[in-house]
């Protein structure tokens, strides 16, 4: 029973909450009634069995609770700022998907800070608890609760509409949504702090969101490309950590354990995204990921093609992080000397001053060139800059290996 | 419907340095905004520059002090405002795109919902 409710939680949370919000016109109340509906499911389903359509049961239950509360509190509510929604009244049956999109666009409105957008999306759309969201960003639960409350207050007081934006704004707003989804995935893919390398609740949440967006906007090429990128990266998730918890680089991973089903799905989505229009940033990133997924080994990767994809990506999305990855690919195509040269201009970039991958990449080139003292310095620098324990273990091992050659 | 205040911020020195043609283009921008917004504009004014401001502030003893200058001494001060009526924030954001202060990097807009009571 608990499993059935957990499954319904994962699958239907966003539908139940977004539909209820359309009725309550208050995100706090919608959240409360949604939670109550799940609590009631735990009891009722025990006695009556699991309904044929758990999502519809939960939505109806949450709606009825909301209607009761509305009747009870109508006087009090008149003084509260309400969510601005379109005044159309529709049944809950035909408008489910639309309501989830409304919720997503509201949570990622540009008038909210990025931190607030991510927190609201994780809490309201993915259904993570506030302590879970807090843990992802290493802030105390009370701080995260305050951040979420403040954001919900702003939505109500500034009247950020609960609405899917019109056609003239849609592309821009979809890009903002995708950025939030991408950020959630990358935060989970290499958790910035703590003992876990991967936070699966975050990566799964991001993939769930990307799948939903793709389902609702199947012809949006950028959405398709992002889903492809996430699936291709997630396919390698289980092989990034050795049994002893050590970080495994792409070059060391057991490629036979990569998830071929996810890779195939990612590749076909990528093909679809590339057919539709000139490649977007996510499509290029996905194409690079796909080349890695197809390669029989690290050495036998199509580095030529990967370097040219990074060249294209740099034009579309000039970023020092992309330049760093391009330098790694050049190092593989033309050797560590060329890689080190490609890296040199980045050393002065303030945006990368505390980016441990830069020091770690430089250390690796220096190690391969057998420039031992410089490699030691670079590994020590990388260690000083990372807080992820799995990565620290890896860097410490490399450091002692290099120190033995001094 | 709700009310919003658009506060126009900018560097007075840069506004003072504008040429006659630049002012004409600037005013045409405000006219375009007013035409598009129509009756949604409840009020809107340009303010004299911050050196003309007078500030009042009470100390811990309740003594009120009058000082010359704006309440906050910053490079960018309030140069004007609009009071608008709109159904939601997106409507205001769309209209505000027309304001000519967004053509310069020294000036910009702050949108604040007006508290409604009763």
């Amino acid at each position: 029973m608990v499993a059935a409710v957990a499954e319904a939680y994962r699958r239907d949370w966003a539908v139940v909450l977004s539909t209820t919000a359309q009725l309550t016109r208050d995100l706090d109340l919608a959240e409360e009634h949604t939670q109550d509906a799940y609590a009631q499911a735990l009891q009722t389903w025990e006695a009556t069995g699991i309904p044929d359509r758990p999502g519809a049961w939960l939505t109806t239950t949450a709606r009825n609770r909301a209607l009761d509360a509305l009747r009870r509190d109508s006087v009090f509510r008149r003084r509260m700022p309400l969510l601005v929604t379109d005044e159309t009244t529709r049944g809950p049956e035909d408008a489910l998907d639309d309501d989830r999109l409304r919720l997503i666009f509201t949570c990622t409105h540009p008038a909210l800070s990025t931190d607030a957008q991510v927190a609201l999306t994780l809490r309201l759309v993915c259904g993570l608890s506030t302590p879970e969201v807090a843990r992802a960003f290493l802030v105390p639960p009370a701080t995260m609760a305050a951040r979420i409350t403040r954001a919900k207050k702003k939505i109500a007081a500034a009247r950020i509409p609960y609405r899917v934006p019109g056609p003239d704004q849609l592309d821009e707003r979809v890009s903002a949504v995708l950025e939030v989804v991408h950020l959630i995935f990358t935060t989970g893919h290499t958790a910035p702090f703590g003992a876990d390398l991967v936070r699966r609740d975050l990566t799964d949440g991001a993939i769930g969101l990307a799948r939903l967006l793709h389902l609702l906007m199947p012809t949006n090429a950028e959405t398709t490309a992002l889903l492809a990128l996430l699936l291709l990266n997630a396919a390698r998730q289980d092989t990034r950590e050795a049994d002893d918890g050590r970080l495994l680089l792409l070059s060391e991973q057991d490629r036979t354990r990569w998830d071929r089903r996810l890779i195939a799905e990612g590749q076909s989505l990528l093909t679809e995204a590339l057919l539709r229009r000139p490649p977007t940033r996510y499509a290029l990133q996905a194409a690079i990921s796909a080349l890695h997924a197809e390669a029989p080994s690290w050495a036998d990767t199509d580095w030529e093609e990967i370097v040219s994809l990074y060249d294209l990506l740099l034009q579309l999305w000039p970023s020092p992080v992309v330049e760093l990855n391009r330098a790694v690919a050049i190092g593989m195509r033309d050797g560590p000397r060329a890689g080190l040269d490609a890296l040199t201009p980045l050393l002065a970039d303030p945006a990368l001053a505390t980016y441990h991958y830069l020091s770690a990449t430089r250390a690796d080139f220096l190690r391969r060139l057998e420039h031992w003292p410089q490699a030691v310095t670079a590994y020590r620098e990388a260690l000083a800059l990372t807080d992820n324990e799995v990565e620290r273990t890896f860097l410490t091992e490399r450091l002692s290996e290099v120190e033995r050659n001094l | 419907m709700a009310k919003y205040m658009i506060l126009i911020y900018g560097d007075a020195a840069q506004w003072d340095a504008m040429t006659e043609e630049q002012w004409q283009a600037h005013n045409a921008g405000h006219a375009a905004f007013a035409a598009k917004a129509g009756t949604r504009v409840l009020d809107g004014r340009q303010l004299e520059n911050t050196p003309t401001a007078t500030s009042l502030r009470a100390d811990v003893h309740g003594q009120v002090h009058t000082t010359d200058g704006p309440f906050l001494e910053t490079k960018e001060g309030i140069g004007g405002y609009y009071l608008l009526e709109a159904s939601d924030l997106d409507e205001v954001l769309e209209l505000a795109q027309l304001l000519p202060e967004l053509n310069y990097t020294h000036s910009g807009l702050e949108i604040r919902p007006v508290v409604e009571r009763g």
Side-chain angles (χ1 to χ4, degrees), chain A residues 10-336:
Chain A
R10 197 187 50 70
R11 198 189 47 227
D12 300 318
W13 169 271
V15 175
V16 181
L17 187 133
S18 58
T19 314
T20 311
Q22 177 74 17
L23 182 73
T24 61
R25 298 182 59 192
D26 180 309
L27 290 172
D28 274 327
L29 286 177
E31 203 182 319
E32 196 184 310
H33 297 312
T34 302
Q35 244 157 7
D36 288 350
Y38 277 96
Q40 195 177 320
L42 267 178
Q43 291 184 350
T44 309
W45 296 1
E46 196 70 64
T48 64
I50 301 160
D52 291 339
R53 295 165 62 226
W57 187 96
L58 286 158
T59 305
T60 308
T61 306
R63 267 178 72 88
N64 289 343
R65 283 177 167 270
L67 285 171
D68 282 349
L70 287 182
R71 273 192 292 270
R72 224 170 30 238
D73 302 332
S74 59
V75 180
F76 165 68
R77 275 176 52 81
R78 250 180 256 134
R79 280 184 279 165
M80 309 261 295
L82 296 179
L83 271 182
V84 183
T85 68
D86 298 328
E87 296 299 333
T88 51
T89 44
R90 293 150 307 143
E93 297 300 319
D94 57 334
L96 297 182
D97 294 345
D98 211 345
D99 280 335
R100 280 178 298 183
L101 268 188
R102 280 167 210 262
L103 182 62
I104 292 171
F105 280 113
T106 305
C107 290
T108 58
H109 195 280
L112 300 168
S113 72
T114 306
D115 280 355
Q117 291 179 28
V118 171
L120 274 184
T121 305
L122 284 172
R123 174 73 198 107
L124 297 181
V125 188
C126 301
L128 260 64
S129 71
T130 302
E132 282 171 329
V133 181
R135 207 165 68 79
F137 298 94
L138 205 74
V139 300
T143 307
M144 186 51 78
R147 185 182 296 173
I148 291 174
T149 303
R150 204 163 44 236
K152 284 192 288 202
K153 261 196 195 134
K154 173 155 186 190
I155 289 173
R159 296 171 67 96
I160 290 174
Y162 191 64
R163 174 193 300 146
V164 176
D168 51 328
Q169 287 184 336
L170 194 62
D171 274 351
E172 201 185 319
R173 294 287 306 277
V174 168
S175 295
V177 174
L178 299 182
E179 223 162 282
V180 167
V181 176
H182 189 238
L183 188 63
I184 291 172
F185 185 87
T186 49
T187 304
H189 196 57
T190 303
F193 330 92
D196 300 331
L197 180 67
V198 175
R199 282 279 311 269
R200 206 169 277 276
D201 52 345
L202 299 183
T203 55
D204 285 354
I207 290 174
L209 280 169
R211 283 197 187 280
L212 174 64
L213 291 165
H214 176 60
L215 186 75
L216 300 177
M217 300 181 288
T219 57
N220 184 286
E222 214 182 344
T223 305
T224 312
L226 178 67
L227 179 57
L229 172 65
L230 301 194
L231 295 179
L232 287 163
N233 285 346
R236 301 197 290 263
Q237 205 157 262
D238 287 340
T239 63
R240 290 171 64 227
E241 220 175 318
D243 294 336
D244 59 1
R246 194 171 63 86
L247 170 72
L248 292 177
L249 297 178
L250 204 47
S251 54
E252 302 171 305
Q253 292 170 14
D254 177 1
R255 291 176 182 235
T256 62
R257 286 178 50 223
W258 287 356
D259 188 329
R260 292 291 147 192
R261 197 183 47 83
L262 285 185
I263 291 173
E265 192 186 352
Q267 283 168 322
S268 99
L269 286 164
L270 173 62
T271 312
E272 206 182 305
L274 289 174
L275 278 178
R276 230 176 263 120
R277 65 174 197 193
T280 59
R281 165 191 150 188
Y282 297 127
L284 290 171
Q285 286 178 281
I288 291 166
S289 198
L291 281 174
H292 284 302
E294 288 157 16
S297 72
W298 174 250
D300 291 327
T301 303
D302 190 347
W303 293 109
E304 188 71 49
E305 185 63 24
I306 287 189
V307 171
S308 39
L309 284 169
Y310 273 122
D311 286 340
L312 280 175
L313 187 57
L314 263 183
Q315 288 171 24
L316 225 66
W317 184 39
S319 128
V321 175
V322 176
E323 276 187 66
L324 173 58
N325 287 322
R326 180 176 165 273
V328 173
I330 287 177
M332 283 309 295
R333 188 189 65 179
D334 306 330

Side-chain angles (χ1 to χ4, degrees), chain A residues 78-79 84 109-111 154 157-161 163 165 168-169 173, chain B residues 1-4 86-91 93-94 111 113-114 116 118:
Chain A
R78 250 180 256 134
R79 280 184 279 165
V84 183
H109 195 280
K154 173 155 186 190
R159 296 171 67 96
I160 290 174
R163 174 193 300 146
D168 51 328
Q169 287 184 336
R173 294 287 306 277
Chain B
M1 293 300 263
K3 294 189 183 74
Y4 293 87
S87 64
D88 58 60
L89 183 61
D90 279 356
E91 192 179 334
L93 290 174
E94 199 190 326
I111 298 164
V114 174
E116 306 273 0

